Amino acid sequence: LRSRTGSFNQAVGRAIFNYDFEERFDQDINVFAGWNRGWRPDVIMVEARSDEIVPGETVDSAEIGAKANFFDNRLNLEGSFYYYWYKNFQINIFDREQLDFVTENGGDATGIGVELAGNAQITEEFSTFANYAWTRPRFEDDISITQGDEEIPIEGATFRLTPEHTFVIGGQWVQDLTENWDFYMRSWFTWQSEVFFLDTNDPALRQGSYGLWNARIGADYNLDIGTFGIAVWGFNMLDKRYVIDGGNTGNQFGLPTFIAGPPATFGGEVSYRF
């Protein structure tokens, strides 16, 4: 009978700086900066013929950004820049001998990114919004991880399921029909660049860039004790075919499995909120 014990600890925390320029410049502009540390504890791996302790994963992240409101709060803009760095990035892989997932040390990894967002109240009834994000995470160390019968180097690879670019744009139109009835129409389009389904960035297990168009139309009846609503909606209305995950356990035996994204889907609902 093989056993292994260990005791692990790590200090984590968060620090935030925030400054509002409104009193000084008569503009609703806010700047902020922050630092965070997170921790995933060490993993005790006990197998039939060996045992080991995979070091705990730590991630430090730093972010700076600003938010601003203009034209009596009818235009809102915000943006941020962030950088994060991992030590002992923990990667889950499938062990064919044990027929189970185990944890390996992926070494150091870093990431850099930018997020931009804005929304505008064009008229009393119509508003729009848009969000864009760019991120570039990479494994830094000359380390290989097990995939089936191979040892695959991951230096320079990006994280699984992490698109480099994402973008969302949409709008909403709201109209008062009566004193109690409000009618609305919302539509938005989301897009993302390619993603890999494995940290090894196997080109056979990836999803190329794709976009999805969604919409919702409904009406709310406002009561003194709540809101009654009816709506119809559509998801992926252009019926884009895409995959949200691939590889999985079957990939370790040369038979990767894939999870398809939902096709064009339409529905309706009746709700009551109080």
Side-chain angles (χ1 to χ4, degrees):
L1 180 64
R2 183 180 297 274
S3 65
R4 185 74 178 264
T5 62
S7 177
F8 320 110
N9 61 79
Q10 176 66 250
V12 298
R14 183 183 187 189
I16 297 176
F17 167 81
N18 187 79
Y19 186 80
D20 195 331
F21 284 93
E22 184 173 9
E23 293 185 2
R24 175 166 298 198
F25 298 111
D26 196 30
Q27 289 289 337
D28 189 7
I29 300 175
N30 182 275
V31 297
F32 60 89
W35 167 86
N36 295 271
R37 165 165 284 193
W39 176 54
R40 182 179 293 176
D42 305 50
V43 178
I44 300 177
M45 301 291 300
V46 179
E47 303 179 15
R49 294 182 296 273
S50 65
D51 60 80
E52 66 172 315
I53 295 178
V54 180
E57 173 188 291
T58 59
V59 56
D60 291 275
S61 61
E63 181 180 15
I64 59 173
K67 300 178 181 180
N69 300 317
F70 303 98
F71 310 115
D72 294 327
N73 209 35
R74 297 177 68 88
L75 175 64
N76 312 114
L77 302 174
E78 60 182 276
S80 63
F81 168 83
Y82 61 85
Y83 180 80
Y84 55 86
W85 55 102
Y86 285 88
K87 292 192 69 67
N88 303 317
F89 190 100
Q90 294 179 356
I91 299 176
N92 290 323
I93 65 167
F94 187 77
D95 189 314
R96 293 172 65 171
E97 293 184 0
Q98 297 188 90
L99 298 179
D100 197 7
F101 285 92
V102 299
T103 302
E104 286 195 8
N105 185 357
D108 293 348
T110 60
I112 188 172
V114 173
E115 294 182 349
L116 303 172
N119 61 78
Q121 190 72 41
I122 307 299
T123 67
E124 188 73 21
E125 297 82 15
F126 181 66
S127 62
T128 62
F129 69 90
N131 300 292
Y132 169 76
W134 170 79
T135 185
R136 188 184 183 278
R138 291 291 185 271
F139 290 102
E140 300 288 346
D141 290 348
D142 183 14
I143 289 178
S144 296
I145 63 174
T146 306
Q147 181 176 311
D149 295 324
E150 298 182 82
E151 292 290 322
I152 309 295
I154 61 171
E155 183 179 9
T158 188
F159 298 171
R160 67 183 299 268
L161 299 178
T162 305
E164 184 173 358
H165 304 277
T166 58
F167 181 70
V168 181
I169 187 170
Q172 173 176 267
W173 181 64
V174 179
Q175 179 68 55
D176 296 335
L177 298 179
T178 67
E179 184 177 352
N180 297 98
W181 278 103
D182 297 328
F183 175 79
Y184 63 86
M185 298 176 59
R186 301 178 189 136
S187 184
W188 63 100
F189 180 81
T190 67
W191 179 89
Q192 69 171 52
S193 57
E194 72 170 2
V195 295
F196 292 96
F197 299 134
L198 297 177
D199 289 321
T200 55
N201 291 182
D202 185 341
L205 295 172
R206 57 178 285 277
Q207 168 62 54
S209 61
Y210 65 91
L212 303 175
W213 179 38
N214 314 290
R216 182 182 179 91
I217 301 174
D220 292 330
Y221 186 77
N222 301 301
L223 303 169
D224 292 336
I225 57 174
T227 302
F228 170 78
I230 55 175
V232 293
W233 51 266
F235 175 79
N236 187 14
M237 295 194 298
L238 299 179
D239 199 25
K240 174 66 178 180
R241 296 186 179 184
Y242 64 102
V243 176
I244 59 177
D245 199 2
N248 304 301
T249 304
N251 187 56
Q252 307 303 319
F253 303 97
L255 297 171
T257 57
F258 296 88
I259 301 174
T265 307
F266 301 89
E269 65 181 55
V270 177
S271 63
Y272 182 76
R273 303 183 296 274
F274 57 89

